[in-house]
C-alpha cells in the first residue's frame, strides 16, 4: 500500500499493484466462482509491465482486457482498429486481424493492434510504450480568485434543543425547525429517516446543514455535535480528456485538496464524437459509469489527502455542495442523458440548463442529499466549460472588447464584454491534443513540448519529465511547424519540401521529416519519430479553424481586431502555449503580446466560483442570457475565413505584420 | 381468471386461485430451482378451502405459510400466540406448542394455533372460519363535496413546437419551456432523460404535465400528442385496518373508481402498537412493503375498472398527483420512518408535516415523478386522518361549537370551530373493531351488526351478508350491552348477573352470556358464541375512554355540552353506529339526535379535498396551526372523567337524561 489510491483500490475491490486476478470493474463485479454458468472458455492475460493479470472470456480483445484490468490505453478511436494507438506484442496463442496501422517491420516483430487481437489461450502481453497512458500533466491551476462575499448555497447551524417530555411532545422535525428559525424547509426523505436517531444519539445537540439553491430551502443533513467549523464543497471540471476535482473549504474559500486524472471514458474513444457514437451503440450508462468512477476515485483521493493534511478524518458526507463544469457532451454523459441529437445536425442538446440533481441521483460519493449544480451550456458545442471560462476571465464585466479562446479537442471562441457576447465553436480536431497526428501525443511524460530545428535539420528539444522522447504534444507541434517554416522545410501551405537531407524521408503517404531517430527515443520505440505531410495538413486545418473562427466572429459583429483590448487563453493546451510561435504560424491573432492573458483551467475556475458565490451564480445566468451563439458548421463567412487561413501564417500577410517571414523572405505558393 | 385482481396476481407472479406453487411474496421472489442452495428441507402445505398450496422451508409456521400464500388471517397479535385468532386444523405430520387459547375440546378435535404449529412434512390445513378474513365491508363513502374552484397541483398543457434546424438549434428543454411560457421550472432527471425521445417520437407535438405543489414548479412528464382531456389523481386513506384508494378525474372532480382492501400489515399485528413493536424487532421495511403492496394492488384494480368503464387503456403513469391521509403510524410506515418514539413516552413522531416525496421514492405504481402529498398530523396519536376528518366536516369554518369523534382502533376527539380547536386521543382499544373481545370481529360477512334480546333471553339479530353468524362487530356489541343492561343481564358496572337461565354460563374466567348456540352458528364453529365478563369490561373501558375524552376536552376549554351545535361522527365504525344505543350506554354525549352528523370516511374525504383544491390544502395548514393538542395519557382530569364513565351510562345519571333506566328503574351498584 503506497498511496491513497491503492487504499481506495483495495477498499473498492479494484486491483492493486500486485493483484493476481482482476475482476470486472464496471457494473456487477463477480469472481470466477460466482459467474453465471456459461459454456465459454476463460483464459488468463498477463501484463508483466503492469504487474497485472486478468481472466477473460473467449472472444475478448486485448484492448478490452486492458479496460477490464484498469490499464489506461490511449485508444483514440475507441477500439475500432482505426487509430493504431493500442499496439501490443502478445506471447502465446492468439488470433489477430492484420491492420494497415501495423507496418511490415512491426508485424515481423510481433506487434498487433490490441483491439483486433483475441487470445486463444493463456497469454502474456507487452504494451508499446506510447500505448500506455503515462503520468500526466493535468492543468489544475486557475486564475479564479476567491469571490467576496463568500456565499455558498449550504450553511451549517448548530442548535441545542430541549428534549421532549409528555407536556411538550412536539414532533422531532417541527422541534428542530422551530429552533432553526427556518421557514418551512423541505427535508429529503433520506434525511428524515435518520432524524429521530441522530437527535437522540446527539443528546439533542446537533448541527443542521441547510441547502438553498434558489428553488427551495432544504435541511439536507442533521449530525450530532457542533461541526460548524467545517463546510466542504467540491468543484469539478469534467473535461473530455481530463477530470479535475477541487475540495474547497467554503468558510474561507480556500482549496483544501486537488486531484486529477484522465477521464476513464477515454478508452471508449478519444474525442466526443467517438464517444457519442459508442454510447449510441452501447447505451449511455457505461459512459456515465466511467466518468462517475473517475470522479469518485478523485473525491476519495482529495479527501484522503485533506484528511492527512488536517489530521481529521474527512468523509464524503462532509461535502455538502457540488458544482460541475464541462462541455455539453460531458455533462450529458455525467447525468446519463442521450447525446444522439448533439452529434447529428442540427446539433441539439437535451438541455442547456441541467436541472439541479441530488448527489445520490448523480451517483457521487458525497452527502447523498447534496445539490449538484451544473454550469449551463450555451449551445451543443459551446458548453458549460466555456461559460465557466468567461466567468473566470471576468470578460462579462469588461467595458473593453475581449476575445476568449479555449483550445481543447474542440476550439471555442467568445468575443464581447459587459454589454454583449458572441460565441462559436469550431471542430479544431484533436491534432494539438495528440490525436490524428502520427507523432502526436498528450502533454505528459515523454512528450516533446519545446523544439528547435538546427541549420543541419537536426533538432534540440525539451521532453516533459526529462525523459527520452515518446512523441510530440501540442505546444511542441506548434514549435515544430514554426521552425519547419522558418527553416524552409515546409512552404506556406505546410507542404514538406523535397530537401536533400537524411532528415527528409519519403514514403507512400508522402514526405516526412525525422524529428528524432529511433535510437534516441524511449526504449522499445519501433520507428523514428516522424512528422508527415498528412500530419502537417491536419495541424494546418486545426490552426486555420481557430483563427478562422476568431475572424468570423469579428466580421459578424462588425468589430475590428485593433479594438480588442484583451485576449484570454483558456484550457489545458493553452497553458503550454507559446504566444509568439502561435501568432507566427497564424493560429492566434496578431495583437501585442501584452494583451494576452492565460486563465489556466477556466472550467474548474468557473465551477469553483459558482460553488462559492451566489453573485457568480447569478452572473452565469447573465452570461447565458447575453451570449449569442453562431453556428459555423454551415456558415459561408467561416468557410471563407477558414480557407484563407490554410496558409502559414495566412493568405493575407497584412493580417500578421509581426510574423517572421520564411527563409526566402516572401511567400512561396 | 375471473377478475382484475387475478389478472394482477398473475402478472405480478402472485398466486391465483388454482396456483400450485406459491412463491415468496415480499422482497426477492424465487422458485424452488433458483433458491440458494441450503440444507433445509422443504414441505408442501395445502389449503384446500383456498385452493392454494405452498412450499415452505422446515421451521416455517402455518401462519407464516398463510402470509406467504397470501391468505389473510385475522392474527391480532401478529403471530405471538396471544390472540388465539389463527386456529387451524392440520392433517399430516406437525409439531405444535399447546396454548391456553385452545380449549380442551378444540384440542381433542385437532385444532392448533397456526402461529405455534410447524409442519414436519407435507400437510393439509383447514382454517377455522373466523381465522380467515372474509369479504369485507370497507367504508369508501365520504360526505366531502367536490371543491370549487378545482385547483389540483398538476395541470396539462399541449404545445406544438417548431422542430429545430441549424439556424434555430435551441436545446430541447429550453425550446419546450419557451413555448410553455413557464418561468424556469424544475425538471426531474427521469423526465429529462425521456425528453429528447418523446419530442421526436411525438413529432414535436406534446403534452407537458406541470406540477406545482408550493415549493417549486416542475415539468414532471412530457408525452406525445394531446392528452389534456385526461388528468387523473389519487386519494388514499391508509387506515390501520383498511386501505381505500379513489381514482379522481381532476378536471371534473368526479370519482372515476374506488378500490379497498384490508391493510396487508394486519398479519403483522392488528393494532398500531403491535405493529410498531414488530417493526422495532424486524425493521420498518417489511411494514412499508406490505402497505405499499396493498396500495399498488388497489391502484391496479382502480385503473382496471376505470379502463373498462371508459373503454380507454389507463396506465399508472396517467396518475400525476397523489394525496394520502392516515394516522401518524401509518404515514410513518408508508414512508419507512421509524415509529419507535411514537410508541414510547413521550410519544414523539419524526414529523407532523411529512415532506412531499415523489411517487418513485414512495414506491407507488403511478407516474414516478408525481408528488405525493401527505395530510399532516397534529400529534403522535392525532394523525392526518383526524385533520382530514376536520377538513371533510368543515368544522374549521363553523361559527358554532362542534365536536368531532372518530372511533377506530383509537379514538380521537376534536372540539372547536373557526377560531380555535382542541384535540386529544384516547386508547379506545380495538374492542369495537373486534379485538380483545372473545366474540368480537370486524364488520364483515358473518358479523352480527344488530341484535335484540328477547324476554326469554334468546336473541334476534341481523348478520352482515345474511349468513349464519361468526361473531359480533362493533355496532352489534353496542346493541348487545344496551340490551343486556335493559334486560337486567348486566348491572351498571356491566357485570353479568347470575340469572337462572341456560343462557348464562359459568366458567373459570367468570360468567358469560350465550348470544347464540353453536348449532346456529356458521358451519364448523367449535363453541357457542358467548360474551364474557372480561369482554364486557373491555367494552366498558372503551366506551368510557371515548366519553371521558369528550368530557375532558369540554372541561379543559371551559365549554358546555349544551353549547355544542353539532356532533360529527367519522370513521368506518361510526358509519354503522346507532346513536340512540350509543348514548344509552354512555359512549356518546347526550345531545339531541338531530345534532349528530355522519361524514363517513373523513380521512379519504380529506385526501380527496387536498388533492383537488389548493384552498383546502391551505385550510389544512390553518387547521394544523389552530389546533391545540392535549395529551391525556398523564392527565388527572381525564382519569377522573374516565373513571366516572365506567358505568352504564355514567356515575352521574344527570348527564344522560335521555338514557333508559335499567329494569329496576334505578341504579344498581
Amino acid at each position: 500500500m503506497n498511496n491513497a489510491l491503492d487504499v481506495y483500490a483495495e477498499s473498492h475491490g479494484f486491483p492493486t499493484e500486485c493483484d493476481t486476478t482482476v475482476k470486472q470493474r464496471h457494473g456487477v463485479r463477480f469472481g470466477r466462482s460466482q459467474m453465471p454458468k456459461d459454456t465459454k472458455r476463460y483464459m488468463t492475460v498477463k501484463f508483466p509491465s503492469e504487474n497485472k493479470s486478468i481472466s477473460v472470456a473467449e472472444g475478448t480483445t486485448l484492448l478490452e482486457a486492458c479496460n477490464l484490468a484498469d490499464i489506461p490505453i490511449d485508444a483514440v478511436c475507441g477500439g475500432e482498429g482505426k487509430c493504431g494507438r493500442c499496439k501490443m506484442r502478445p506471447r502465446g496463442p492468439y488470433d489477430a486481424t492484420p491492420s494497415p496501422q501495423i507496418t511490415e517491420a512491426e508485424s515481423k516483430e510481433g506487434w498487433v493492434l490490441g483491439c483486433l487481437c483475441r487470445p486463444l489461450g493463456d497469454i502474456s502481453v507487452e504494451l508499446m510504450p506510447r500505448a500506455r497512458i503515462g503520468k500526466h500533466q493535468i492543468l489544475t491551476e486557475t486564475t479564479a480568485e476567491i469571490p467576496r462575499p463568500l456565499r455558498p448555497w449550504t450553511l451549517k447551524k448548530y442548535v441545542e434543543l430541549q428534549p421532549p417530555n409528555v407536556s411538550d411532545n412536539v414532533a422531532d422535525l417541527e422541534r428542530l425547525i422551530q429552533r432553526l428559525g427556518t421557514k418551512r424547509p423541505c427535508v429529503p426523505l433520506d434525511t428524515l429517516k435518520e432524524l429521530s436517531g441522530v437527535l437522540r444519539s446527539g443528546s439533542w445537540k446537533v448541527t443542521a446543514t441547510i441547502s438553498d439553491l434558489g428553488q427551495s430551502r432544504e435541511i439536507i443533513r442533521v449530525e450530532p455535535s457542533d461541526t460548524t467549523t467545517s463546510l466542504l464543497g467540491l468543484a469539478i471540471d469534467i473535461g473530455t480528456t481530463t477530470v479535475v476535482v477541487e475540495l474547497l473549504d467554503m468558510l474561507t474559500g480556500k482549496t483544501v485538496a486537488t486531484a486529477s486524472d484522465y477521464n476513464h471514458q477515454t478508452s471508449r474513444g478519444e474525442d466526443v464524437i467517438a464517444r457519442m457514437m459508442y454510447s449510441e451503440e452501447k447505451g449511455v450508462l457505461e459512459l456515465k459509469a466511467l466518468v462517475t468512477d473517475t470522479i469518485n476515485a478523485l473525491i476519495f483521493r482529495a479527501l484522503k489527502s485533506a484528511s492527512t493534511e488536517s489530521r481529521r478524518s474527512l468523509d464524503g458526507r462532509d461535502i455538502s455542495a457540488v458544482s460541475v463544469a464541462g462541455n455539453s457532451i460531458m455533462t450529458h454523459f455525467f447525468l446519463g442523458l442521450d447525446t444522439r441529437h448533439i452529434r447529428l445536425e442540427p446539433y441539439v442538446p437535451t438541455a442547456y440548463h441541467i436541472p439541479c440533481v441530488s448527489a445520490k441521483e448523480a451517483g457521487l460519493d458525497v452527502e447523498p442529499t447534496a445539490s449538484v449544480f451544473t454550469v449551463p451550456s450555451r449551445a451543443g458545442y459551446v458548453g458549460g466549460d466555456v461559460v465557466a471560462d468567461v466567468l473566470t476571465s471576468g470578460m462579462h464585466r469588461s467595458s473593453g472588447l475581449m476575445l476568449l479562446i479555449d483550445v481543447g479537442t474542440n476550439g471555442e471562441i467568445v468575443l464581447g464584454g459587459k454589454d454583449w457576447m458572441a460565441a462559436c465553436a469550431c471542430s479544431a480536431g484533436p491534432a494539438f491534443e495528440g490525436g490524428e497526428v502520427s507523432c502526436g501525443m498528450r502533454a505528459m511524460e515523454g512528450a516533446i513540448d519545446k523544439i528547435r530545428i538546427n541549420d543541419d535539420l537536426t533538432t534540440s528539444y525539451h521532453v516533459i519529465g526529462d525523459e527520452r522522447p515518446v512523441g510530440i504534444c501540442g505546444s511542441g507541434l506548434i514549435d515544430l511547424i514554426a521552425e519547419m517554416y522558418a527553416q524552409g522545410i515546409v512552404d506556406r501551405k505546410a507542404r514538406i519540401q523535397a530537401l536533400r537531407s537524411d532528415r527528409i524521408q519519403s514514403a507512400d503517404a508522402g514526405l516526412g521529416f525525422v524529428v528524432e531517430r529511433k535510437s534516441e527515443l524511449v526504449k522499445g520505440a519501433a520507428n523514428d519519430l516522424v512528422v508527415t505531410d498528412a500530419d502537417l495538413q491536419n495541424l494546418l486545418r486545426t490552426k486555420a479553424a481557430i483563427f478562422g473562427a476568431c475572424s468570423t466572429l469579428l466580421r459578424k459583429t462588425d468589430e475590428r481586431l485593433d479594438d480588442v483590448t484583451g485576449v484570454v487563453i483558456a484550457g489545458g493546451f493553452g497553458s503550454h502555449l507559446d504566444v509568439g510561435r502561435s501568432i507566427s504560424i497564424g493560429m492566434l491573432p496578431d495583437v501585442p503580446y501584452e494583451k494576452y492573458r492565460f486563465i489556466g483551467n477556466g472550467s474548474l475556475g468557473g465551477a469553483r466560483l459558482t460553488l462559492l458565490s451566489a453573485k457568480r451564480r447569478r452572473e452565469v445566468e447573465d452570461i447565458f442570457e447575453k451570449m449569442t451563439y453562431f453556428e459555423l458548421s454551415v456558415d459561408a463567412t467561416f468557410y471563407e475565413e477558414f480557407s484563407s487561413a490554410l496558409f502559414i501564417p495566412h493568405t493575407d500577410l497584412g493580417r500578421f505584420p509581426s510574423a517572421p517571414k520564411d527563409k526566402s523572405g516572401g511567400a512561396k505558393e
Side-chain angles (χ1 to χ4, degrees), chain A:
Chain A
M1 290 299 124
N2 297 328
N3 54 37
L5 197 55
D6 277 353
V7 176
Y8 174 81
E10 196 188 53
S11 70
H12 283 62
F14 293 163
T16 53
E17 280 174 90
C18 296
D19 204 349
T20 48
T21 304
V22 179
K23 292 160 193 76
Q24 185 160 350
R25 184 135 191 261
H26 304 296
V28 181
R29 291 176 219 118
F30 28 91
R32 280 292 293 281
S33 61
Q34 296 158 268
M35 278 186 177
K37 274 180 198 162
D38 56 31
T39 54
K40 276 188 184 159
R41 286 201 309 133
Y42 285 84
M43 39 209 66
T44 301
V45 183
K46 282 190 189 165
F47 299 97
S49 64
E50 306 291 321
N51 233 341
K52 284 178 177 178
S53 80
I54 183 167
S55 169
V56 298
E58 199 174 4
T60 308
T61 67
L62 292 184
L63 179 62
E64 286 164 349
C66 288
N67 286 339
L68 292 173
D70 218 17
I71 301 167
I73 298 296
D74 190 21
V76 178
C77 70
E80 299 278 322
K82 291 181 186 155
C83 70
R85 290 299 174 87
C86 59
K87 288 178 186 168
M88 303 180 186
R89 186 149 56 180
R91 285 200 180 83
Y94 65 85
D95 173 38
T97 310
S99 156
Q101 305 286 343
I102 300 285
T103 65
E104 210 170 302
E106 285 171 338
S107 183
K108 273 184 190 157
E109 289 176 12
W111 295 100
V112 299
L113 287 190
C115 62
L116 297 178
C117 176
R118 291 174 168 81
L120 298 172
D122 293 349
I123 200 168
S124 173
V125 178
E126 179 187 354
L127 306 176
M128 187 174 274
R130 277 185 49 209
R132 175 71 164 88
I133 296 179
K135 282 188 197 166
H136 48 266
Q137 286 203 327
I138 296 177
L139 181 66
T140 61
E141 298 298 313
T142 146
T143 57
E145 289 179 356
I146 297 174
R148 301 289 172 201
L150 279 176
R151 194 70 55 79
W153 67 81
T154 57
L155 62 88
K156 280 184 174 177
K157 227 166 163 178
Y158 171 68
V159 286
E160 302 191 351
L161 306 176
Q162 282 298 324
N165 57 55
V166 174
S167 55
D168 167 22
N169 55 6
V170 168
D172 291 340
L173 178 63
E174 276 78 1
R175 179 176 302 272
L176 175 68
I177 290 174
Q178 206 167 35
R179 190 72 186 74
L180 287 171
T182 315
K183 216 195 148 194
R184 198 54 56 81
C186 280
V187 185
L189 190 55
D190 288 338
T191 309
L192 197 63
K193 283 181 181 168
E194 296 182 343
L195 181 66
S196 294
V198 169
L199 287 177
R200 285 161 183 86
S201 71
S203 305
W204 304 91
K205 295 171 184 174
V206 294
T207 301
T209 306
I210 297 160
S211 177
D212 189 356
L213 192 51
Q215 297 271 9
S216 63
R217 178 165 295 208
E218 285 191 316
I219 301 176
I220 59 167
R221 188 184 186 193
V222 181
E223 58 190 317
S225 79
D226 185 352
T227 67
T228 51
T229 52
S230 164
L231 187 69
L232 295 179
L234 198 73
I236 309 179
D237 159 40
I238 308 181
T240 306
T241 309
T242 59
V243 177
V244 184
V245 310
E246 190 175 63
L247 191 61
L248 288 138
D249 177 341
M250 299 196 289
L251 298 172
T252 63
K254 286 187 183 152
T255 301
V256 176
T258 305
S260 63
D261 192 7
Y262 282 106
N263 188 332
H264 293 174
Q265 290 175 343
T266 309
S267 55
R268 307 302 190 272
E270 175 121 351
D271 61 25
V272 292
I273 303 293
R275 281 185 226 168
M276 286 192 278
M277 289 175 72
Y278 186 92
S279 84
E280 285 161 38
E281 196 188 325
K282 305 262 178 97
V284 74
L285 276 184
E286 185 177 344
L287 290 163
K288 185 203 164 17
L290 285 166
V291 71
T292 311
D293 279 1
T294 310
I295 296 170
N296 283 336
L298 293 177
I299 292 173
F300 180 86
R301 270 168 46 190
L303 283 168
K304 182 92 184 166
S305 114
S307 297
T308 311
E309 194 88 0
S310 65
R311 295 181 185 175
R312 288 185 305 150
S313 167
L314 295 172
D315 178 270
R317 291 199 67 184
D318 294 323
I319 299 171
S320 62
V322 180
S323 189
V324 175
N327 64 48
S328 300
I329 294 108
M330 287 305 114
T331 51
H332 274 56
F333 281 150
F334 173 57
L335 291 171
L337 299 173
D338 189 5
T339 55
R340 187 180 315 259
H341 308 290
I342 307 184
R343 185 173 71 81
L344 303 170
E345 200 184 299
Y347 321 114
V348 180
T350 296
Y352 297 144
H353 289 86
I354 302 288
C356 217
V357 300
S358 69
K360 186 180 177 180
E361 283 179 288
L364 298 185
D365 289 348
V366 304
E367 167 57 43
T369 57
S371 288
V372 179
F373 172 83
T374 306
V375 178
S377 301
R378 183 57 197 83
Y381 292 97
V382 174
D385 51 348
V386 179
V387 173
D389 282 339
V390 171
L391 187 71
T392 301
S393 76
M395 67 180 280
H396 59 296
R397 298 191 304 264
S398 158
S399 41
L401 185 64
M402 305 268 287
L403 181 67
L404 183 143
I405 304 173
D406 185 330
V407 186
T409 308
N410 274 285
E412 295 100 1
I413 321 287
V414 184
L415 179 73
K418 70 180 171 56
D419 297 322
W420 57 267
M421 269 183 260
C424 68
C426 55
S427 328
F432 287 123
E433 297 219 319
E436 296 175 11
V437 173
S438 63
C439 60
M441 68 180 289
R442 295 196 187 107
M444 59 190 190
E445 285 189 4
I448 294 176
D449 62 347
K450 288 185 179 61
I451 192 163
R452 294 292 172 268
I453 300 179
N454 308 316
D455 285 345
D456 63 354
L457 304 195
T458 60
T459 52
S460 311
Y461 47 77
H462 173 256
V463 180
I464 298 175
D466 292 321
E467 299 187 351
R468 290 171 72 157
V470 173
I472 313 172
C473 71
S475 59
L477 290 168
I478 290 171
D479 265 18
L480 187 64
I481 301 171
E483 289 284 308
M484 286 174 82
Y485 181 63
Q487 291 291 352
I489 302 171
V490 295
D491 65 8
R492 287 193 60 208
K493 284 185 166 172
R495 287 175 305 210
I496 297 176
Q497 304 299 299
L499 302 180
R500 276 201 199 155
S501 162
D502 59 353
R503 288 276 170 165
I504 304 293
Q505 284 185 348
S506 178
D508 293 348
L511 296 174
F513 172 71
V514 178
V515 178
E516 187 52 285
R517 298 288 177 201
K518 180 176 165 180
S519 58
E520 302 301 311
L521 300 179
V522 67
K523 206 179 142 200
N527 298 301
D528 292 346
L529 186 64
V530 174
V531 62
T532 65
D533 250 335
D535 293 341
L536 289 166
Q537 291 312 306
N538 271 336
L539 290 164
L540 192 69
R541 275 195 293 275
T542 297
K543 82 96 190 164
I546 294 165
F547 184 78
C550 295
S551 312
T552 305
L553 274 196
L554 285 161
R555 269 177 70 180
K556 297 239 171 220
T557 56
D558 273 332
E559 297 289 339
R560 282 155 27 93
L561 189 56
D562 292 348
D563 296 331
V564 170
T565 57
V567 181
V568 176
I569 304 292
F573 168 51
S575 68
H576 297 280
L577 212 64
D578 180 323
V579 169
R581 292 297 180 115
S582 303
I583 294 175
S584 76
I585 67 162
M587 183 171 99
L588 294 181
D590 197 355
V591 299
Y593 292 6
E594 59 272 21
K595 287 192 183 176
Y596 275 90
R597 189 157 64 82
F598 292 89
I599 58 165
N601 189 334
S603 177
L604 183 66
R608 184 201 287 175
L609 291 171
T610 49
L611 181 77
L612 296 176
S613 162
K615 185 158 172 282
R616 295 288 182 257
R617 287 194 295 281
R618 283 192 301 273
E619 285 178 8
V620 159
E621 264 324 290
D622 179 47
I623 293 168
F624 179 86
E625 294 295 338
K626 73 177 162 211
M627 191 182 276
T628 305
Y629 171 68
F630 290 94
E631 176 63 56
L632 299 193
S633 65
V634 290
D635 192 283
T637 310
F638 174 67
Y639 185 72
E640 194 182 300
E641 287 292 341
F642 170 71
S643 305
S644 314
L646 284 171
F647 292 84
I648 302 177
H650 197 271
T651 324
D652 177 6
L653 290 174
R655 289 164 82 166
F656 284 87
S658 78
K661 308 293 171 268
D662 68 0
K663 268 207 161 162
S664 68
K668 291 183 196 161
E669 293 285 322

